[in-house]
Structure formats: C-alpha cells, structure tokens
C-alpha cells in the first residue's frame, strides 16, 4: 500500500509539473514564497512561414519575425510557431501575450551581421549607439519562449578571445576569420573580419557593444521552457527587474572559454523559479545580481527566488551572488542541485561600491564533484575587469560595502575540490554564516577563512588523502 501511495503521489507531481503547476516546489520552504503566476496566452497560433520566413540558413528573416509579432499583437496575442529549419535573423522583439514556440529541429540563429542588432529610428534614420539583445521584451506581460528547438547567438562574431584559453588549432581558426590581435598577441577581437563590417570605429568600443542573447526587462509572468539557448555573445538568459518568472527544463551552453558567457542571470527579479535546467558555460552558471550603488538600491532586491533541481557543468560558479548586489538579496532558496566540473560551487563575490545586504538565504542538498577551486567561497574585494583591461577604478572604501549574512548552508556533499571553504574579508562583511551536516573531500586546503567568527560549522566533515 505504501508503494502504491508513493507511486500515485509521484504521478500527481509529474502531471502537475507538466501542466505548468509548480505548487509542489513551494511546500516546506524555510522562507515564505508565492508560486509564480503563469502567463496567459490566447489560443491562437500562426507559423513564421506564413509571414515569408524561410528556414534555409541563408534568408534574413528579421522582417518576417517583426511582421508575425505585430500580427499577433493586433490579435491580442497567441503562439508564434517556428517549424524545423535554420532561421537566420536580427532582432526579435516580443510583446505581451505572445509565445515564441520552437518545434523540434527548429533553430533560430542570430545573424553574423552585427548591425542587424542596432535599432534605427524610423523617423530620423539615426542609429542607436548601442546594440540590442537578440531576443528582447520591455514592460510586457504574459510572454513565453517554449519548445524543443535551439536559439543560437552566433557568439564568435562578437566575443574577444584570450590566447591562453585556446589551443593552437582553435586560435588559428579564429585568426583565419581576420580580426585584430592585441596585447602582444594575447587577445583577439572580431574587429576587421574578412566577411563582416565593424559596428564601431575601434575594437575597444566594439567590444563594449556585445549583446545578451535573451533579455527581458520590466516584464511580468514570464515562462522559458524546454528550449536550448546557446553560444551567446555575452550573457544567455537575462530577466531584468521582472516578476513571476519560471525557467524550466532549459539547456544553456557555450564554449568553456567564452568571455562573459554567463548562463542564467537574474537581475533584481522577484518571484522566480529556476528548475530542471542544464547549464554548461564560460562564466557564472546560475547567478543573481542586484545592481550597483544607488542605481541598485533604486530598483530593489532579488527576492523570493527558488532554484531547485538543476545541473551545472562547466562554469566559474554553480550558484553565484554578485558581484553587484547593492539592491540586496532576500529570501532565496537553493536546493537539490548538482555542480560537476565548475570552478567554484557556491560563490559569493562582491567589493566596495558594488555590495549590499543578504537576508534569508537557505542552500541545501547540493552535490558537487570535480570542483577546480573552492566548494564554497566568499570574496569581498572583487573588481570587475573587462577583457583587455587591468582593473576598474576603485570606489571609496566606505561606499556600498558587501555584507554577506544570514546565509545557511546544509547537507553539501562534495568530492574533489581544491579548497572546501574560503572566506576573504572582515567579520563585518561576512558574518552569521552557518554550514551544517556536510561532507567535503578536498585536495589542498580544508579551509581558508580570515576570521573563524565568520562561519559557524556544525557536523562538517573535512576529508583528504591520508
């Protein structure tokens, strides 16, 4: 009878999750949260092919996407279906009550013509100074990106590359494209390519124009489900100041050495669930950001975030807070995730001018293996260093100091990490941190903690080779 009861419960949970009902994730949480509201999409569908799109990998489908979104917008919303094929395109701007649905074997490929992502004012003909993310929405409600297809950012046409992170074969493949080498041959920029025009007068300025692949700003009720998002010029999925967001069963991937190749970055969002995702990227895996200095305070915190049941392979950090979080990080639960092959596991990073406060952060049941540096790390002197630079201007020491506190970590199982736990800073910046009932197998350092008062450990096993 017990087995039957368990089976029926499992089936009920599976059906609920498949139907978009995530209530089961919100049971027995250590902090109060509300299940994100689902987007409402009208039962009306069109195919991108109806608007002249061709999935031949050659045709520019930017205008077809624009017409399709405009048509759906006039109808009050609906589903924009993308059938099998390779759809080369520039900017896609989504609007309220629209679902961008990629069928199996559908691939939306960002155009290598970088000028396709620079908006032109229809009245004046003047071009923007900055490029726009490949797929974007602003102040929209009820939007979704779903299906079994792939969204590819064609990032190699945008990203700088470091010689030290590439084999001879990879480096030759890049330089054969043309481009510009700098810093005594240690850096390559996609500036002066053989087949594509520059979008800025210098390689330094063009580097600053790199785009995110998907960025949704000030939106409500967002669902991203099932798709593969890969090879972004910069960050891959960026909800910014959004509320009621679900990212479910998404694969995010790019080369391990992709500069600034973050996977999922939640920026000052509220009521968010990230579940069932697989991340394998060049920078931070699943990352929370809270803005810099006064601007961060203005837009508020990351709040009521649940990150459950995900797997992160290569990344600078499996789960990361920072480096900027001046708006704060409040009521966050991270549980039941696996990190395998990340540089660090749980990474808390910030510095003067970028810091804020944390509260009610609960992390549990994390499984880590093959961690290059630290399983858990707190860094309070982090400085943002764009590629090609040495360091940014340091702010006054008293401005927006990071304060990592009220963070509770338990039931961590980690096999093979260089250092189990590291904390660099003062006890004013790192305090009221607990690590309980966890097992670490380290290869060099058990702990590197500046002040023992920073972290209270209970029931922690620190093992290494005998």
């Amino acid at each position: 009878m017990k087995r039957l009861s368990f089976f029926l419960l499992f089936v009920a949970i599976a059906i609920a999750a498949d139907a978009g009902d995530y209530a089961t994730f919100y049971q027995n949480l250590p902090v109060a949260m509300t299940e994100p509201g689902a987007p409402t999409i009208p039962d009306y569908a069109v195919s991108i092919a109806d608007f002249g799109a061709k999935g031949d990998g050659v045709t520019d489908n930017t205008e077809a996407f624009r017409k399709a979104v405009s048509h759906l917008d006039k109808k009050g919303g609906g589903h924009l279906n993308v059938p099998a094929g390779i759809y080369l395109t520039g900017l896609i701007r989504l609007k309220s009550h629209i679902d961008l649905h990629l069928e199996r074997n559908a691939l939306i490929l960002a155009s290598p013509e970088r000028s396709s992502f620079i908006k032109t004012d229809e009245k004046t003909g003047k071009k923007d100074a900055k490029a726009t993310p490949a797929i974007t929405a602003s102040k929209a409600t009820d939007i979704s990106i779903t299906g079994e297809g792939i969204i590819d950012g064609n990032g190699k046409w945008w990203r700088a590359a470091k010689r030290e992170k590439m084999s001879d074969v990879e480096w030759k493949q890049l330089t054969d494209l043309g481009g510009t080498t700098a810093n005594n041959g240690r850096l390559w920029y996609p500036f002066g390519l053989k087949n594509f025009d520059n979008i800025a007068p210098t390689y330094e300025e063009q580097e600053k124009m790199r785009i995110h692949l998907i960025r949704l700003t000030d939106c409500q009720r967002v669902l991203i489900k099932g798709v593969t998002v890969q090879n972004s010029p910069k960050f891959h999925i960026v909800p910014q100041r959004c509320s009621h967001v679900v990212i479910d069963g998404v694969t995010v991937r790019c080369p391990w050495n992709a500069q600034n190749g973050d996977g999922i970055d939640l920026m000052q969002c509220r009521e968010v669930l990230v579940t069932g995702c697989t991340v394998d990227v060049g920078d931070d895996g699943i990352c929370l950001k809270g803005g810099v200095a006064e601007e961060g305070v203005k837009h508020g915190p990351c709040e009521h975030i649940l990150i459950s049941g995900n797997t992160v392979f290569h990344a600078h950090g499996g789960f990361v807070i920072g480096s900027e979080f001046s708006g704060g990080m409040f009521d966050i639960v991270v549980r039941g995730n696996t990190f395998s092959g990340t540089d660090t596991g749980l990474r808390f990073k910030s510095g003067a001018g970028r810091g804020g406060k944390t509260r009610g952060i609960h992390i549990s049941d994390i499984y880590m293996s093959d961690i290059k540096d630290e399983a858990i790390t707190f860094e309070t002197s982090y400085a943002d260093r764009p590629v090609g630079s040495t360091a940014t201007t340091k702010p006054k020491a008293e401005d927006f100091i990071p304060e990592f506190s009220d963070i509770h970590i338990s039931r961590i199982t980690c096999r093979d990490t260089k250092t189990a736990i590291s904390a660099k800073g003062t006890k004013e910046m790192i305090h009221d941190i607990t690590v309980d009932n966890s097992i670490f197998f380290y290869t060099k350092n058990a702990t590197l903690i500046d002040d023992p008062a920073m972290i209270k450990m209970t029931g922690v096993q620190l093992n290494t080779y005998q």
Side-chain angles (χ1 to χ4, degrees), residues 17 55 58 69-70 103 175 215 257 268 322 328 335 350 366 374 387 393 409 428 439:
V58 177
V69 170
S70 177
E103 298 176 7
T175 55
R215 189 174 73 200
N257 51 13
Q268 296 176 289
R335 66 181 186 182
S350 193
I366 307 297
E374 302 97 352
V387 63
T393 302
I409 302 169
E428 288 75 28
I439 301 174

Side-chain angles (χ1 to χ4, degrees), residues 51-299:
F51 300 86
K54 294 182 180 179
D56 56 13
V58 177
T59 302
D60 184 341
N61 295 290
T62 307
E63 184 63 11
F65 277 104
R66 188 196 67 77
K67 288 180 178 179
V69 170
S70 177
H71 171 81
L72 287 172
D73 186 42
K74 291 175 182 177
K75 291 284 187 179
H79 302 267
L80 175 53
N81 294 328
V82 182
I86 299 177
Y87 296 86
L88 203 66
T89 185
L91 171 66
I92 298 174
R93 184 177 295 278
L94 297 177
K95 296 185 178 181
S96 297
H97 302 286
I98 291 179
D99 167 44
L100 176 62
H101 183 79
L102 287 76
E103 298 176 7
R104 180 181 288 273
N105 296 322
L107 193 156
I108 293 176
L109 180 63
S111 173
E113 293 286 358
R114 293 164 292 190
S115 58
S116 298
F117 302 95
I118 299 177
K119 292 186 296 182
T120 302
D121 188 290
E122 295 181 359
K123 294 181 179 180
T124 65
K126 185 177 180 180
K127 290 183 177 293
D128 281 358
K130 295 182 179 180
T132 301
I135 298 178
T136 185
S138 177
K139 298 180 180 178
T141 62
D142 302 287
I143 58 175
S144 61
I145 301 172
T146 62
E148 300 178 80
I150 297 171
I151 299 171
D152 190 312
N154 230 343
K156 72 177 180 181
W157 304 111
W158 293 84
R159 291 190 300 260
K162 293 181 178 180
R163 179 66 182 91
E164 65 191 44
K165 290 187 174 183
M166 293 202 157
S167 67
D168 291 345
V169 172
E170 291 172 310
W171 188 253
K172 185 176 186 304
Q173 289 174 341
L174 276 184
T175 55
D176 282 349
L177 300 175
T180 300
T181 56
N183 198 14
N184 296 320
R186 292 194 289 269
L187 291 173
W188 176 87
Y189 292 88
F191 183 85
L193 295 170
K194 292 178 180 178
N195 297 308
F196 301 105
D197 293 335
N198 299 320
I199 56 173
T202 67
Y203 67 81
E204 295 96 339
E205 292 179 55
Q206 184 168 280
E207 169 63 19
K208 295 176 183 179
M209 296 177 72
R210 270 197 290 152
I211 61 173
H212 299 152
L213 183 44
I214 299 173
R215 189 174 73 200
L216 310 173
T217 305
D218 297 311
C219 295
Q220 295 183 18
R221 293 185 298 280
V222 173
L223 172 66
I224 304 176
K225 184 173 182 179
V227 293
T228 294
V229 180
Q230 65 181 30
N231 200 23
S232 176
K234 203 170 181 180
F235 302 169
H236 287 75
I237 300 175
V238 188
Q240 182 178 34
R241 302 190 301 273
C242 294
S243 63
H244 293 272
V245 177
V246 174
I247 303 174
D248 179 7
V250 172
T251 297
V252 186
R253 57 190 294 269
C254 69
W256 74 271
N257 51 13
Q259 288 296 130
N260 309 113
D262 285 26
I264 300 170
D265 281 25
L266 304 175
M267 298 184 174
Q268 296 176 289
C269 293
R270 296 172 174 84
E271 317 302 339
V272 180
L273 171 64
V274 180
T275 184
C277 295
T278 300
V279 180
D280 191 346
V281 292
D283 209 310
D284 290 330
I286 301 173
C287 182
L288 307 186
K289 295 181 180 293
V292 176
E294 293 291 354
E295 190 69 14
V297 174
K298 174 184 175 182
H299 292 296

